[in-house]
Amino acid sequence: MTLSQLKKHFSDSLSEVYTDPESVFIFQIFAEDILGLNNFQQRQSADLELSDENANRFLQIISELKTGKPYLQILGETEFYGMKISVDENVLIPRPETEELLEFAIKKIRDARCEMQDVNNSEFSKEKDTKTLQLSNSCIKILDIGTGSGIIPLVLKKHFPEAEVTSIDLSEKALEVAKKNADLHQLEVNFIHADYLNLDLNQNFDVIISNPPYIGIDEEKEIADSVKGFEPTMALFSPTSDALIFYRKIAEDSKIYLNKNGLLFLEINQKLGQETLALYKDFSHSELIKDLSGNDRFIFGVK
């Protein structure tokens, strides 16, 4: 079988699952992974005869894709915020919205640290607004709740290498993936296996960030089968009928364990924006932020 014949067979076999452009895109990804050929080389190698081993690998991939299994799970990795990240059936495939959350968080943390430096260097520091964002430039402590593949703590540790980053997850298998990604990028994060909803924190933090399970049980019918069938439900759906259960506990914990002027970053259910924001009304500043698609997607707070 030649590469061009395989490409046609790939597209024809998946016509009920993907559009032609989607099939072409996915084929190119696997052709580069298996054959080591980039898109240009693939176009120049239409008559390349595939070995039986490689042809069989593609046929197996087709079979898996027909079931609706996400191609990134089959590939076993994805790119997120410029970092190669391992993924499997035990973790959520990272979404673009979480990249938006991190981009926003990194900017705000940097701004807060620069503001602190300006305050320290200013002879008029006593006249500064007490609500100004201020974080120490020495060592900030960051808590991530619901780590999954580790994307949030690892990106933050990469951008703030001096920070102490702690990350909690209920799934031992998810933590195995997160630790694998930490080892890959040689980043040190304190991963904790715990049920956050029943966990008493024992230290304070300068930053709390989370993308917890926020889909309500009543919304399950709206979620695509390719998501429900292959990604961990515990990372998608609230464990109770209360879709805001994680946000309520984060709000309560923040009263005690988030330092003064500490920063809060949350990814939320777009249908519950105002309800989620109301939980943080006691912060000196809290706001609801839309994602690039115009949906209520994030909460930013300053204690």
Side-chain angles (χ1 to χ4, degrees), residues 2 6 25 68 117 157 161 168 170 184 221 230 255 290:
T2 66
L6 176 62
F25 174 73
Q117 189 172 24
K157 182 65 176 178
I168 300 168
L170 176 60
L184 175 65
K221 60 181 180 297
F230 297 95
K255 293 177 182 179
K290 295 184 182 297

Side-chain angles (χ1 to χ4, degrees), residues 170-214:
L170 176 60
S171 169
E172 288 186 271
K173 292 184 177 179
L175 287 173
E176 289 176 7
V177 176
K179 290 174 182 177
K180 177 181 177 181
N181 284 321
D183 290 342
L184 175 65
H185 293 284
Q186 298 182 311
L187 295 169
E188 183 178 350
V189 172
N190 178 28
F191 292 110
I192 297 175
H193 175 231
D195 177 3
Y196 172 70
L197 294 177
N198 294 293
L199 177 68
D200 293 327
L201 298 177
N202 57 12
Q203 62 174 305
N204 281 38
F205 297 92
D206 301 297
V207 175
I208 294 178
I209 187 167
S210 182
N211 176 21
Y214 57 65

Side-chain angles (χ1 to χ4, degrees), residues 145-184:
I145 300 165
T147 191
S149 62
I151 53 174
I152 289 177
L154 294 177
V155 168
L156 291 178
K157 182 65 176 178
K158 180 179 179 180
H159 284 78
F160 304 102
E162 74 292 341
E164 291 183 12
V165 183
T166 300
S167 195
I168 300 168
D169 203 287
L170 176 60
S171 169
E172 288 186 271
K173 292 184 177 179
L175 287 173
E176 289 176 7
V177 176
K179 290 174 182 177
K180 177 181 177 181
N181 284 321
D183 290 342
L184 175 65

